[in-house]
Amino acid sequence: MPSVSEHYERVLSPVYAWMAGGAEAALAAGRSEIDALSLALPSGALVVDLGAGFGMHSIPLARAGARVVAVDTSAHLLAELKRLAGELTVTTVQDDLLSFRAHLQEKAAAVFCMGDTLTHLPEHTNVDFLVQEVAEALAPAGHFVLSFRDYSEPLLEEQRFIPVRGDERRILTCFLEFEEDTVVVHDILHERGGDAWETRVSSYRKLRLSPDRVLGSLESFGFESRRENGLRGMVRLVAKLRA
Ligand SMILES: C[S@@+](CC[C@H](N)C(=O)[O-])C[C@H]1O[C@@H](n2cnc3c(N)ncnc32)[C@H](O)[C@@H]1O
């Protein structure tokens, strides 16, 4: 089975912005999500976006005055982010998000890990490692904001077929296969090339995370957290490092 980054290069990265409803609509949604958090970040605050993609949160954060470090493994998505960011203060880093601290020279005011990126980590233990790393990377009373899908209850039978998006030239469907601790995500992409449809299929594994498990990890590494409804059916956890 391809790794997460191979899967993104093979299928998802080139269509990710389209899949999210188009870059403009996604950036507007990212901005609303950030505004709703009311984090009151001071101008020039250092903010890290882990698994930043094309910048759905990095760009609105930079537009609001933050200095953003955007970490992602996908060269394609980071190039798109750079193009969308223009002159904004966003530093792109192509690396595994678990190594993000190597790219910081000072403590951060906030760390974001949004849009189901957390479930892309290879092992459940990586989640605890990441929470500990974020606690180390944050300034006192810094925030860690996460959003991810709750895969703790398996979807059954036809519920496992998810029509992600379709238009006259492209259709993306996802099929989920639940395992004990993980879920195999099969992405099926149909694209119109001239008179014919071309099909690409690729699969990768995600973690089945339960929000309670992530909340427990945040608690044990010194965060106080609240749980909210995120975008597109995701769970959002807003955690603040205890003083
Ligand atoms: C579901 S997308 C979310 C993108 C963005 N946060 C958003 O909300 O639109 C997951 C992103 O995480 C990246 N990613 C997955 N695993 C990663 C890892 N271990 N290190 C860095 N980036 C990773 C992917 O390349 C992809 O851009």
Side-chain angles (χ1 to χ4, degrees):
M1 189 172 306
S3 67
V4 170
S5 53
E6 285 165 346
H7 180 82
Y8 268 76
E9 290 320 294
R10 208 180 270 193
V11 177
L12 288 185
S13 294
V15 299
Y16 199 89
W18 168 84
M19 185 178 97
E24 208 174 304
L27 294 182
R31 183 194 162 162
S32 306
E33 186 164 38
I34 288 157
D35 287 351
L37 294 169
S38 303
L39 296 184
L41 294 168
S43 180
L46 179 66
V47 176
V48 185
D49 189 7
L50 301 174
F54 63 86
M56 176 170 172
H57 298 90
S58 292
I59 289 172
L61 283 161
R63 283 183 181 151
R67 286 176 296 135
V68 179
V69 175
V71 184
D72 205 288
T73 39
S74 167
H76 184 104
L77 288 170
L78 288 176
E80 205 168 346
L81 191 162
K82 254 189 168 149
R83 185 182 59 76
L84 290 166
E87 298 299 304
L88 293 168
T89 316
V90 181
T91 305
T92 54
V93 175
Q94 188 182 7
D95 198 358
D96 191 311
L97 64 87
L98 293 173
S99 306
F100 79 96
R101 280 183 69 202
H103 305 283
L104 301 186
Q105 277 80 47
E106 61 188 279
K107 297 270 185 183
V111 176
F112 284 72
C113 185
M114 306 298 280
D116 212 25
T117 298
L118 195 63
T119 61
H120 292 61
L121 292 175
E123 306 281 341
H124 282 267
T125 51
N126 295 144
V127 175
D128 299 318
F129 174 80
L130 180 66
V131 174
Q132 185 170 20
E133 289 290 281
V134 172
E136 294 286 338
L138 282 172
H143 284 89
F144 185 19
V145 186
L146 310 108
S147 67
F148 55 93
R149 290 198 182 281
D150 179 355
Y151 294 112
S152 52
E153 288 299 318
L155 297 176
L156 302 170
E157 302 182 352
E158 68 271 18
Q159 295 173 325
R160 296 170 300 160
F161 293 84
I162 300 168
V164 181
R165 192 174 175 200
D167 62 20
E168 62 288 344
R169 61 191 181 92
R170 202 180 267 149
I171 301 168
L172 179 63
T173 311
C174 179
F175 173 67
L176 301 178
E177 202 179 343
F178 284 80
E179 301 175 327
E180 194 170 336
D181 289 327
T182 47
V183 55
V184 181
V185 180
H186 305 273
D187 283 322
I188 304 132
L189 179 68
H190 296 282
E191 279 187 304
R192 188 125 189 120
D195 286 342
W197 285 93
E198 288 165 13
T199 304
R200 250 177 300 158
V201 181
S202 179
S203 311
Y204 68 123
R205 260 196 184 85
K206 278 182 172 179
L207 297 177
R208 287 181 63 188
L209 288 179
S210 92
D212 284 344
R213 159 96 171 60
V214 183
L215 282 165
S217 183
L218 288 163
E219 170 75 27
S220 67
F221 289 108
F223 288 94
E224 54 192 38
S225 312
R226 63 175 198 267
R227 176 182 171 162
E228 301 175 342
N229 293 325
L231 300 178
R232 292 177 276 125
M234 279 181 252
V235 175
R236 184 168 60 229
L237 304 181
V238 185
K240 185 177 178 185
L241 201 55
R242 284 198 194 88

